[in-house]
Amino acid sequence: MTAAVFFGCTFIAFGPALALYIFTIATEPLRVIFLIVGAFFWLLSLLLSSLVWFMTRTITDNKDGPVQKYLLMFGVLVSVLIQEMFRFAYYKILKKANEGLKSINPDETAPSMRLLAYVSGLGFGIMSGVFSFVNTLSDSLGPGTVGIRGDSPQFFLNSAFMTLVIILLHIFWGIVFFDGCEKKKWYTLLVVLLTHVLVSALTFVSPHYGISLVAAYVVMVPMGIWAFFVAGGSCRSLRLCLLCQDKDFLLSSQHSR
């Protein structure tokens, strides 16, 4: 039973992300490299966030009660800020690398920033989802007591869907964030930051997992629509894609900007 729950939740959380990787990235070595680097940047942001959290806990002498609640809120805010700082740093590095590729070989078509935004967002999302899901599974070690001591029986299922939301949101955030940097629309960076903080803060409404999950999807849908049109999508291209008449869809058909 435990194995079935594990594999079922894993499929829900990472199935779409794995499909995106296979059909849009796996066949291009350069995209795979950018994906891995993006995941590494997210790991660096996690490391820095952990250091800040450790120092904060040390300064406060690990006090209990309300202090821990405020510290946790502070930790979430700092973690989100650091993640977005590393996203911006990765954008700058990719921008310089893209310009370098064009200068070295002008005849070679360099990857578009829209494509790089998608790849980097998927890298951020997959690594974030892995850590989120691993933390959830680590809490399940031991006897099967979920749902017996007042916990929600749908805890693991809700966690899997929340992990999926986080992965997709990182993709959407990456596309919108990079577009804002490219066009110098700095308010889009603020929107990404605020929605990131909002979704992260939804973890504080536990054990009401259904509320946090629905709220996260409410944030994800408009962000996904925004990212779709920012990436060059249109109602026509969506229709062609759904009818399987546009094989390249958005990614392969984008030209360098």
Side-chain angles (χ1 to χ4, degrees), residues 46-216:
L46 177 65
L47 175 61
L48 186 56
S49 301
S50 301
L51 290 175
V52 173
W53 172 252
F54 175 77
M55 290 187 295
T56 305
R57 289 289 300 270
T58 303
I59 292 173
T60 57
D61 296 325
N62 296 320
K63 294 180 180 179
D64 296 325
V67 175
Q68 289 300 314
K69 180 180 180 180
Y70 292 121
L71 281 179
L72 189 58
M73 293 179 179
F74 171 76
V76 169
L77 177 60
V78 170
S79 177
V80 171
L81 287 173
I82 292 176
Q83 286 183 52
E84 296 307 327
M85 286 172 57
F86 272 84
R87 197 193 303 275
F88 182 75
Y90 191 37
Y91 161 77
K92 298 295 287 186
I93 292 175
L94 289 178
K95 185 71 173 177
K96 291 293 183 182
N98 221 18
E99 293 173 354
L101 288 174
K102 292 180 181 179
S103 62
I104 293 174
N105 193 354
D107 298 330
E108 185 71 19
T109 302
S112 69
M113 289 306 297
R114 289 174 177 172
L115 173 60
L116 296 178
Y118 163 75
V119 174
S120 66
L122 183 58
F124 269 58
I126 289 178
M127 191 54 62
S128 175
V130 167
F131 269 81
S132 175
F133 207 60
V134 167
N135 289 335
T136 301
L137 292 177
S138 67
D139 292 336
S140 68
L141 295 178
T145 57
V146 174
I148 296 178
R149 299 179 180 176
D151 298 320
S152 171
Q154 290 80 34
F155 171 74
F156 293 110
L157 190 60
N158 286 330
S159 298
F161 277 106
M162 180 60 77
T163 300
L164 173 60
V165 170
I166 295 298
I167 294 173
L168 294 177
L169 273 173
H170 269 292
I171 298 175
F172 302 152
W173 285 331
I175 294 173
V176 173
F177 191 97
F178 276 40
D179 182 74
C181 293
E182 283 285 285
K183 299 178 179 178
K184 300 187 184 305
K185 295 181 178 179
W186 307 119
Y187 69 89
T188 60
L189 277 62
L190 180 60
V191 172
V192 170
L193 176 62
L194 293 178
T195 53
H196 196 168
V197 171
L198 175 60
V199 173
S200 299
L202 291 175
T203 56
F204 293 115
V205 301
S206 61
H208 305 290
Y209 305 112
I211 297 176
S212 60
L213 185 62
V214 171

Side-chain angles (χ1 to χ4, degrees), residues 217-229:
Y217 271 91
V218 169
V219 174
M220 185 195 72
V221 171
M223 187 60 64
I225 295 174
W226 188 5
F228 174 76
F229 287 105

